[in-house]
Amino acid sequence: MCLKDLFRKSKNGAGDYSIPMVRLDVMPEDTPDELEYLYELSVVDNELDYLGHPDAVLLKDGSILDVYPSGHGKGAIRSSISRDGGVTYGYEIENMPKSWETSRETPTVYRLEFADGTPDKILLISGNPNWHDGNGTIGGFNFSLSDDEGKTWSEFELCFSKKHDFTVIPIVSMASLTRLKENGVFVDKWMAFFHNPDFVNYKTILSFVDGKPVWSKPEPYFSQHRAIEKKANMCEVEVVRSDCGKGDELCLIARSNNKNYNSLLSFSQDEGKTWSAPVFAPSALNGERHKADYTSDGRLFITFRSIERCEEKIKKNSIEKMKNWYSEGWVAWVGTYDDLKNGTEGQYRIKLAHTYLDKQTEPSICANADTGYCGNVVLDDGTIVTSTYGQFGEKKNDGKYKTYVASKRLKLSDVEKLIK
């Protein structure tokens, strides 16, 4: 499908969504006691005036590890650990690597499981984009590994920088990390995605040789669809595997950075070697930095930064009238893999908490878009714990809102009682 056909034939461009929006930012007076927790926020870290962009991983002892930068995107990596399922956060990684102090990118963190019996590893990655702050960049990306459930970590190892034979300037590496199959069976290889400043999207394959990590030379994977990739400023891709993460199809969900188009969906049946012509995502799923997890009942819980492009809604709800979009803030989408495959809207959305615009004094539909980039985990009892950053109401000494990291706990069965 050519670019013109995509825009002409797709029914999933700008528009409104029709599925319910469950608001967990304002608690009604008649809320039953057992559902009050849905409206509560846990502070992960509010020790600085600006903390952002968390990611999270569930440890085998049930603890939740959050990592995030000391600033917007870049800054020394900080950590916080919850030992009680996301109710409170009061611990951090002891003796963090010295190299983490010079991180220039929002960190991402993933669990690696091995078919050959090797104990799990936890992988943390931080790229080296050019922030045009006068410091330049060496390029490439850094990674650390932990062999003991996050207790100790290796110092950063640098890949594909200006010191190497092949150089990339990654942004949000790695936006996704997907374990691969060969002949229908999972193997010890992982496909990782990032993009560069020209919105060329790259993949690199992580494997281990004699126990040592090896990254393949990054290569563009969406060149066949370069026209829409460039036109929409496609980036920060999430990849979802079918059949609760066990199937043979991959779905790509991409951010449209210029906000002139809805998010993009594309599919692969050959483990990411080729991708279908992209289509626009339904407006219910339109946004930035999607993070997807399967719930205990097989549905998908996808968090993202809401981007609303419906003209009627912009006129009605947008506080900043000059924009051609506005945000409903930190939201989640609940649906099925078939909804992604068929382009249907899903079941419902959740406004998880309000992120305040500077002049707001109470929650509203229109929210601060400086949020998202979530760390999501699903506990054994089905509880979802999702963390993000934003202006949640706490103020600095100068009276302006502080940006910090917070998390929310919920069970979909409890959320659905509010819909009924």
Short mmCIF file of all heavy atoms in Angstrom, two decimals, residues 193-202 221-223 225-238 252-259 261-266 275-276 278:
data_model
loop_
_atom_site.label_atom_id
_atom_site.label_comp_id
_atom_site.label_asym_id
_atom_site.label_seq_id
_atom_site.Cartn_x
_atom_site.Cartn_y
_atom_site.Cartn_z
N PHE A 193 14.68 -2.62 19.47
CA PHE A 193 14.36 -1.52 18.55
C PHE A 193 14.73 -0.16 19.14
O PHE A 193 14.58 0.07 20.35
CB PHE A 193 12.86 -1.50 18.24
CG PHE A 193 12.40 -2.56 17.28
CD1 PHE A 193 11.04 -2.74 17.04
CD2 PHE A 193 13.29 -3.36 16.61
CE1 PHE A 193 10.60 -3.71 16.16
CE2 PHE A 193 12.86 -4.34 15.72
CZ PHE A 193 11.51 -4.50 15.49
N PHE A 194 15.20 0.73 18.28
CA PHE A 194 15.37 2.14 18.61
C PHE A 194 15.27 2.94 17.32
O PHE A 194 15.16 2.37 16.23
CB PHE A 194 16.73 2.40 19.31
CG PHE A 194 17.94 2.09 18.46
CD1 PHE A 194 18.46 3.05 17.60
CD2 PHE A 194 18.56 0.85 18.52
CE1 PHE A 194 19.57 2.77 16.81
CE2 PHE A 194 19.66 0.56 17.74
CZ PHE A 194 20.18 1.52 16.88
N HIS A 195 15.28 4.28 17.43
CA HIS A 195 15.27 5.11 16.22
C HIS A 195 16.37 6.15 16.33
O HIS A 195 16.94 6.38 17.40
CB HIS A 195 13.91 5.77 16.00
CG HIS A 195 13.57 6.85 17.00
ND1 HIS A 195 13.16 6.55 18.28
CD2 HIS A 195 13.60 8.21 16.92
CE1 HIS A 195 12.92 7.67 18.93
NE2 HIS A 195 13.20 8.70 18.14
N ASN A 196 16.68 6.80 15.19
CA ASN A 196 17.70 7.84 15.18
C ASN A 196 17.05 9.21 14.95
O ASN A 196 15.83 9.30 14.79
CB ASN A 196 18.79 7.52 14.15
CG ASN A 196 18.34 7.76 12.71
OD1 ASN A 196 17.22 8.19 12.44
ND2 ASN A 196 19.23 7.48 11.77
N PRO A 197 17.82 10.30 14.94
CA PRO A 197 17.21 11.63 14.79
C PRO A 197 16.45 11.84 13.49
O PRO A 197 15.60 12.74 13.41
CB PRO A 197 18.41 12.58 14.88
CG PRO A 197 19.43 11.82 15.67
CD PRO A 197 19.27 10.39 15.26
N ASP A 198 16.73 11.04 12.47
CA ASP A 198 16.00 11.16 11.20
C ASP A 198 14.79 10.24 11.15
O ASP A 198 14.19 10.05 10.09
CB ASP A 198 16.94 10.82 10.03
CG ASP A 198 18.05 11.84 9.88
OD1 ASP A 198 17.78 13.04 10.09
OD2 ASP A 198 19.18 11.44 9.56
N PHE A 199 14.43 9.67 12.30
CA PHE A 199 13.30 8.74 12.41
C PHE A 199 13.46 7.54 11.47
O PHE A 199 12.49 7.08 10.86
CB PHE A 199 11.97 9.48 12.16
CG PHE A 199 11.71 10.54 13.19
CD1 PHE A 199 12.01 11.87 12.95
CD2 PHE A 199 11.20 10.19 14.44
CE1 PHE A 199 11.80 12.83 13.92
CE2 PHE A 199 10.99 11.15 15.42
CZ PHE A 199 11.29 12.48 15.16
N VAL A 200 14.69 7.08 11.38
CA VAL A 200 14.96 5.77 10.80
C VAL A 200 14.95 4.78 11.97
O VAL A 200 15.67 4.97 12.95
CB VAL A 200 16.30 5.72 10.06
CG1 VAL A 200 16.59 4.30 9.58
CG2 VAL A 200 16.30 6.70 8.90
N ASN A 201 14.14 3.75 11.87
CA ASN A 201 13.99 2.79 12.96
C ASN A 201 14.90 1.59 12.72
O ASN A 201 14.89 0.99 11.65
CB ASN A 201 12.52 2.36 13.06
CG ASN A 201 11.66 3.46 13.64
OD1 ASN A 201 11.39 3.49 14.83
ND2 ASN A 201 11.22 4.40 12.79
N TYR A 202 15.67 1.26 13.75
CA TYR A 202 16.69 0.22 13.67
C TYR A 202 16.34 -0.96 14.57
O TYR A 202 15.65 -0.81 15.59
CB TYR A 202 18.04 0.76 14.13
CG TYR A 202 18.74 1.66 13.15
CD1 TYR A 202 18.45 3.02 13.11
CD2 TYR A 202 19.70 1.16 12.27
CE1 TYR A 202 19.11 3.86 12.21
CE2 TYR A 202 20.36 1.99 11.38
CZ TYR A 202 20.06 3.34 11.35
OH TYR A 202 20.71 4.16 10.47
N TYR A 221 14.82 -1.62 9.80
CA TYR A 221 13.91 -2.75 9.58
C TYR A 221 12.60 -2.33 8.92
O TYR A 221 11.78 -3.18 8.56
CB TYR A 221 13.58 -3.46 10.90
CG TYR A 221 12.82 -2.61 11.91
CD1 TYR A 221 11.43 -2.52 11.89
CD2 TYR A 221 13.50 -1.88 12.87
CE1 TYR A 221 10.75 -1.75 12.80
CE2 TYR A 221 12.83 -1.11 13.79
CZ TYR A 221 11.45 -1.04 13.75
OH TYR A 221 10.77 -0.25 14.67
N PHE A 222 12.39 -1.01 8.70
CA PHE A 222 11.12 -0.55 8.15
C PHE A 222 11.33 0.16 6.81
O PHE A 222 10.49 0.94 6.38
CB PHE A 222 10.44 0.39 9.15
CG PHE A 222 8.95 0.20 9.26
CD1 PHE A 222 8.41 -0.98 9.74
CD2 PHE A 222 8.08 1.21 8.88
CE1 PHE A 222 7.04 -1.15 9.86
CE2 PHE A 222 6.70 1.04 8.97
CZ PHE A 222 6.19 -0.14 9.47
N SER A 223 12.45 -0.13 6.14
CA SER A 223 12.79 0.59 4.91
C SER A 223 11.75 0.43 3.82
O SER A 223 11.54 1.34 3.00
CB SER A 223 14.16 0.10 4.39
OG SER A 223 15.17 0.32 5.34
N HIS A 225 8.74 0.61 4.08
CA HIS A 225 7.66 1.57 4.32
C HIS A 225 8.24 2.92 4.75
O HIS A 225 7.68 3.62 5.59
CB HIS A 225 6.71 1.03 5.40
CG HIS A 225 6.29 -0.39 5.16
ND1 HIS A 225 5.54 -0.77 4.06
CD2 HIS A 225 6.53 -1.53 5.88
CE1 HIS A 225 5.33 -2.08 4.11
NE2 HIS A 225 5.92 -2.56 5.20
N ARG A 226 9.36 3.28 4.13
CA ARG A 226 10.07 4.48 4.53
C ARG A 226 9.22 5.74 4.38
O ARG A 226 9.34 6.69 5.17
CB ARG A 226 11.37 4.62 3.73
CG ARG A 226 12.17 5.90 3.99
CD ARG A 226 12.55 6.02 5.46
NE ARG A 226 13.25 7.28 5.74
CZ ARG A 226 13.33 7.81 6.94
NH1 ARG A 226 12.74 7.21 7.98
NH2 ARG A 226 13.97 8.95 7.14
N ALA A 227 8.33 5.79 3.40
CA ALA A 227 7.55 7.01 3.16
C ALA A 227 6.72 7.37 4.39
O ALA A 227 6.76 8.51 4.87
CB ALA A 227 6.65 6.83 1.94
N ILE A 228 5.97 6.41 4.91
CA ILE A 228 5.14 6.71 6.08
C ILE A 228 5.99 6.82 7.33
O ILE A 228 5.71 7.60 8.24
CB ILE A 228 4.01 5.66 6.25
CG1 ILE A 228 3.12 6.02 7.44
CG2 ILE A 228 4.57 4.27 6.39
CD1 ILE A 228 2.43 7.35 7.34
N GLU A 229 7.06 6.02 7.41
CA GLU A 229 7.97 6.11 8.56
C GLU A 229 8.48 7.54 8.72
O GLU A 229 8.50 8.10 9.83
CB GLU A 229 9.13 5.15 8.36
CG GLU A 229 10.19 5.17 9.45
CD GLU A 229 11.41 4.33 9.10
OE1 GLU A 229 11.87 4.43 7.93
OE2 GLU A 229 11.90 3.59 9.97
N LYS A 230 8.89 8.15 7.60
CA LYS A 230 9.43 9.51 7.63
C LYS A 230 8.32 10.54 7.79
O LYS A 230 8.45 11.49 8.58
CB LYS A 230 10.20 9.77 6.34
CG LYS A 230 10.84 11.14 6.27
CD LYS A 230 11.64 11.30 4.98
CE LYS A 230 12.29 12.69 4.91
NZ LYS A 230 13.09 12.83 3.65
N LYS A 231 7.22 10.35 7.07
CA LYS A 231 6.13 11.33 7.09
C LYS A 231 5.50 11.45 8.47
O LYS A 231 5.18 12.55 8.93
CB LYS A 231 5.05 10.89 6.08
CG LYS A 231 4.00 11.95 5.78
CD LYS A 231 4.52 12.99 4.83
CE LYS A 231 3.43 13.94 4.37
NZ LYS A 231 3.95 15.00 3.48
N ALA A 232 5.36 10.34 9.17
CA ALA A 232 4.73 10.35 10.49
C ALA A 232 5.74 10.51 11.62
O ALA A 232 5.34 10.58 12.78
CB ALA A 232 3.94 9.06 10.69
N ASN A 233 7.03 10.58 11.29
CA ASN A 233 8.06 10.59 12.34
C ASN A 233 7.86 9.41 13.28
O ASN A 233 7.77 9.55 14.51
CB ASN A 233 8.04 11.90 13.13
CG ASN A 233 8.55 13.09 12.35
OD1 ASN A 233 8.53 14.21 12.85
ND2 ASN A 233 9.00 12.89 11.12
N MET A 234 7.82 8.23 12.71
CA MET A 234 7.59 6.99 13.47
C MET A 234 8.74 6.73 14.43
O MET A 234 9.91 6.83 14.06
CB MET A 234 7.44 5.84 12.48
CG MET A 234 7.42 4.47 13.09
SD MET A 234 7.29 3.21 11.79
CE MET A 234 8.09 1.84 12.60
N CYS A 235 8.40 6.38 15.68
CA CYS A 235 9.44 6.16 16.67
C CYS A 235 8.89 5.45 17.90
O CYS A 235 7.69 5.20 18.01
CB CYS A 235 10.08 7.49 17.08
SG CYS A 235 8.95 8.64 17.87
N GLU A 236 9.79 5.13 18.83
CA GLU A 236 9.46 4.59 20.15
C GLU A 236 8.44 3.45 20.06
O GLU A 236 7.36 3.48 20.64
CB GLU A 236 8.98 5.70 21.07
CG GLU A 236 10.07 6.71 21.32
CD GLU A 236 9.66 7.87 22.22
OE1 GLU A 236 8.57 7.81 22.81
OE2 GLU A 236 10.45 8.82 22.32
N VAL A 237 8.85 2.42 19.37
CA VAL A 237 7.97 1.31 19.02
C VAL A 237 7.84 0.30 20.17
O VAL A 237 8.82 -0.04 20.81
CB VAL A 237 8.52 0.60 17.76
CG1 VAL A 237 7.83 -0.72 17.52
CG2 VAL A 237 8.38 1.50 16.55
N GLU A 238 6.63 -0.15 20.40
CA GLU A 238 6.37 -1.30 21.27
C GLU A 238 6.02 -2.49 20.39
O GLU A 238 5.38 -2.32 19.35
CB GLU A 238 5.22 -0.99 22.23
CG GLU A 238 4.75 -2.18 23.08
CD GLU A 238 5.75 -2.65 24.12
OE1 GLU A 238 6.92 -2.87 23.75
OE2 GLU A 238 5.37 -2.82 25.28
N LEU A 252 3.49 -4.40 15.89
CA LEU A 252 4.27 -3.20 16.17
C LEU A 252 3.31 -2.04 16.40
O LEU A 252 2.39 -1.81 15.61
CB LEU A 252 5.19 -2.95 14.99
CG LEU A 252 6.03 -1.69 14.84
CD1 LEU A 252 7.23 -1.99 13.95
CD2 LEU A 252 5.23 -0.54 14.24
N ILE A 253 3.49 -1.30 17.50
CA ILE A 253 2.71 -0.10 17.78
C ILE A 253 3.69 1.06 17.85
O ILE A 253 4.58 1.07 18.70
CB ILE A 253 1.94 -0.20 19.11
CG1 ILE A 253 1.17 -1.52 19.21
CG2 ILE A 253 0.99 0.99 19.27
CD1 ILE A 253 0.54 -1.75 20.58
N ALA A 254 3.55 2.04 16.96
CA ALA A 254 4.54 3.11 16.86
C ALA A 254 3.94 4.47 17.16
O ALA A 254 2.78 4.75 16.81
CB ALA A 254 5.16 3.12 15.46
N ARG A 255 4.72 5.29 17.77
CA ARG A 255 4.39 6.70 18.01
C ARG A 255 4.55 7.51 16.73
O ARG A 255 5.50 7.29 15.97
CB ARG A 255 5.31 7.25 19.10
CG ARG A 255 5.34 8.76 19.26
CD ARG A 255 6.29 9.12 20.40
NE ARG A 255 6.42 10.56 20.56
CZ ARG A 255 7.03 11.15 21.59
NH1 ARG A 255 7.60 10.38 22.52
NH2 ARG A 255 7.11 12.46 21.69
N SER A 256 3.64 8.43 16.48
CA SER A 256 3.81 9.41 15.41
C SER A 256 4.25 10.71 16.07
O SER A 256 3.43 11.43 16.66
CB SER A 256 2.50 9.61 14.64
OG SER A 256 2.63 10.65 13.70
N ASN A 257 5.53 11.00 16.00
CA ASN A 257 6.09 12.07 16.82
C ASN A 257 5.58 13.45 16.45
O ASN A 257 5.46 14.33 17.31
CB ASN A 257 7.62 12.05 16.74
CG ASN A 257 8.26 12.93 17.78
OD1 ASN A 257 8.15 12.70 18.97
ND2 ASN A 257 8.94 13.99 17.33
N ASN A 258 5.27 13.68 15.17
CA ASN A 258 4.82 15.02 14.79
C ASN A 258 3.34 15.25 15.09
O ASN A 258 2.84 16.36 14.91
CB ASN A 258 5.11 15.30 13.31
CG ASN A 258 4.44 14.30 12.38
OD1 ASN A 258 3.44 13.68 12.73
ND2 ASN A 258 4.99 14.16 11.18
N LYS A 259 2.64 14.22 15.52
CA LYS A 259 1.25 14.31 15.96
C LYS A 259 0.29 14.71 14.84
O LYS A 259 -0.87 15.05 15.10
CB LYS A 259 1.11 15.28 17.15
CG LYS A 259 1.93 14.86 18.36
CD LYS A 259 1.84 15.87 19.46
CE LYS A 259 2.66 15.46 20.67
NZ LYS A 259 4.11 15.29 20.39
N TYR A 261 -0.51 12.52 12.56
CA TYR A 261 -1.14 11.25 12.20
C TYR A 261 -1.34 10.43 13.46
O TYR A 261 -0.67 10.62 14.48
CB TYR A 261 -0.27 10.47 11.21
CG TYR A 261 0.15 11.29 10.03
CD1 TYR A 261 1.46 11.73 9.91
CD2 TYR A 261 -0.77 11.66 9.05
CE1 TYR A 261 1.85 12.52 8.84
CE2 TYR A 261 -0.40 12.44 7.99
CZ TYR A 261 0.92 12.88 7.88
OH TYR A 261 1.29 13.67 6.82
N ASN A 262 -2.28 9.49 13.40
CA ASN A 262 -2.45 8.56 14.50
C ASN A 262 -1.25 7.61 14.59
O ASN A 262 -0.45 7.50 13.66
CB ASN A 262 -3.73 7.73 14.30
CG ASN A 262 -4.95 8.40 14.93
OD1 ASN A 262 -4.95 9.60 15.19
ND2 ASN A 262 -5.98 7.62 15.16
N SER A 263 -1.16 6.95 15.72
CA SER A 263 -0.14 5.91 15.89
C SER A 263 -0.29 4.87 14.78
O SER A 263 -1.35 4.73 14.17
CB SER A 263 -0.30 5.24 17.25
OG SER A 263 -0.16 6.19 18.29
N LEU A 264 0.78 4.13 14.54
CA LEU A 264 0.80 3.16 13.44
C LEU A 264 0.82 1.73 13.99
O LEU A 264 1.45 1.46 15.02
CB LEU A 264 2.02 3.38 12.55
CG LEU A 264 2.13 4.75 11.87
CD1 LEU A 264 3.48 4.88 11.19
CD2 LEU A 264 1.00 4.94 10.88
N LEU A 265 0.17 0.83 13.27
CA LEU A 265 0.19 -0.60 13.56
C LEU A 265 0.74 -1.35 12.36
O LEU A 265 0.38 -1.05 11.21
CB LEU A 265 -1.21 -1.13 13.88
CG LEU A 265 -1.97 -0.50 15.05
CD1 LEU A 265 -3.36 -1.12 15.16
CD2 LEU A 265 -1.21 -0.68 16.35
N SER A 266 1.63 -2.32 12.62
CA SER A 266 2.16 -3.15 11.56
C SER A 266 2.39 -4.55 12.14
O SER A 266 2.57 -4.69 13.35
CB SER A 266 3.48 -2.56 11.03
OG SER A 266 4.03 -3.36 10.00
N TRP A 275 7.72 -6.56 7.64
CA TRP A 275 6.55 -6.00 8.32
C TRP A 275 5.50 -5.60 7.30
O TRP A 275 5.83 -5.16 6.19
CB TRP A 275 6.96 -4.78 9.16
CG TRP A 275 7.85 -5.16 10.30
CD1 TRP A 275 9.22 -5.24 10.28
CD2 TRP A 275 7.43 -5.55 11.60
NE1 TRP A 275 9.68 -5.66 11.51
CE2 TRP A 275 8.61 -5.85 12.35
CE3 TRP A 275 6.20 -5.67 12.23
CZ2 TRP A 275 8.58 -6.26 13.68
CZ3 TRP A 275 6.16 -6.07 13.56
CH2 TRP A 275 7.33 -6.37 14.27
N SER A 276 4.24 -5.75 7.67
CA SER A 276 3.14 -5.40 6.78
C SER A 276 3.04 -3.89 6.61
O SER A 276 3.57 -3.11 7.42
CB SER A 276 1.82 -5.94 7.36
OG SER A 276 1.51 -5.29 8.59
N PRO A 278 1.86 -0.41 7.15
CA PRO A 278 1.25 0.10 8.38
C PRO A 278 -0.13 0.68 8.14
O PRO A 278 -0.44 1.18 7.05
CB PRO A 278 2.23 1.18 8.84
CG PRO A 278 2.90 1.62 7.58
CD PRO A 278 3.01 0.41 6.72
#
